[in-house]
Amino acid sequence: MAIITTTKRTERFRRTTPPTCKYWLAGRCNRNPCGFSHSLPTSPSNVYYNANTTYKHSKKPDSSVEKMASSSAKKAINCAPKAFKKPENCALKAVECRPEAEAISVEKPSKCEQKAEAISSVEKPSKCEQKAVLIEKTADVEDVATVAKACVDKSRSICKYWMTDNCVDGDLCQNLHSWFYGDGFSTLAKLHEHKEAITGIALPAGSNKLISGSTDGTVRAWDCNTGRCVNMIHLNSQVTSLISEGPWIFAGVKNAVKAWNIQTGADVTLDGPKGQVLSLNVGNDILLAGAEDGVIYAWRCSFETPFKLVATLSGHSKPVVCLAIGCHRMLYSGSMDHSIKVWDLDTFQCTMTLNGHTNVVTSLICWDNYLLSGSSDCTVNVWVCTEEGTLEVTYTHTHQIAVLGLYGMTDAEAKPILFCSCKDNSVRMYELPTFLERGRLFTRQEVRSFQIGPGGLFFTGDGTGLLNVWKWLEE
């Protein structure tokens, strides 16, 4: 019988090799051919044959390879239609299997990779594929930093953890790590001596002192050059409003108004109000005080003779929160009863009542011929006088949070800027008359007071007792 000896064979894809002949190992095998291997066992490899192995039969080495190739081609062709039918699911699986697919050798690709390659040929990628691309991009640290920076640029709220020095995200935090954002202004100083909310800031005429009042029961005087507190007055009562007119300083407390003259040293107490004095204003030599009992008290003040109570303006059913004096000797008052009343200062009579808000009217300012009102109903109304002499709302700016105060001034370029203090511990800055947001200030608690200073300075006082000094930057 002819003996076929194999000298070279193609890969046969066999999982095991014939066992070694034990008689051959002992040198006593007399079989020819022998069904067992006459060689020592070797380590596994991709080629399962040995040059010294003899077999009874031999098959064409290319037959198994051709069958394997044809079966692989059929599977690839069958997978493609499935990928087109459900591209989203296949793409999602491809993303999930990606780490495993990278570990598999190139010679034997996985089904997930084959499906992913079939999907990549589609002209219009699915949503899942777009997400896969996004995942691949954000896997890089630099890309993550870029995406995070973009989120920070778009953010409009301050990081509450950064405010307490506890933020662990650092530059990757999606919220702001700054006390303000916007161009054209900066912060100069932070004065923190008050223990509670600052409710009034004043700059008396003829003095280099900044005066502040707080609900901690004190009035403090600050040196404008050094920023240090140089004097403090204990009133033993919460200061809920504070203004200055000429050399006089007025502070609203419970059941009274305290007055000081910084030039003569005079100290006066004006009795009459019932409850806390929540708002103060001076116009036409008349000191006006809005009290918790809903009444406005008016004192005639020539600043040379003693103050004299000349009128009490009754009309509001709840506390008077804010006062503003406009042209034509008119007084505007906002109350917790949701209304705005217009008073004639010559006759002390109410001429009209405005009902444009659905919640507490928290702030009023007069700007040229316009009246602006802010409310806890999250709106700012712009009122204009009609030909009939009435006031109508010409524009309403809506916020997502309650409005606490409105303040107006001009920037370094003489553009009118409206400051809008909100319940979310921020102050939004709008250019008028477009109401385009110019920037935003942030505090640990809401801003309760605002004051304009010389040379582009302005001051804000918040609920923590912090007094911030800001300045508009010249070009």
Side-chain angles (χ1 to χ4, degrees), residues 83-94:
F84 282 106
K85 289 180 181 179
K86 295 182 179 180
E88 293 84 359
N89 296 335
C90 291
L92 185 60
K93 291 180 180 179

Side-chain angles (χ1 to χ4, degrees), residues 30-50:
N30 55 8
R31 296 184 180 182
N32 191 9
C34 181
F36 298 93
S37 175
H38 285 192
S39 64
L40 294 174
T42 58
S43 59
S45 63
N46 290 334
V47 181
Y48 299 99
Y49 71 93
N50 190 281

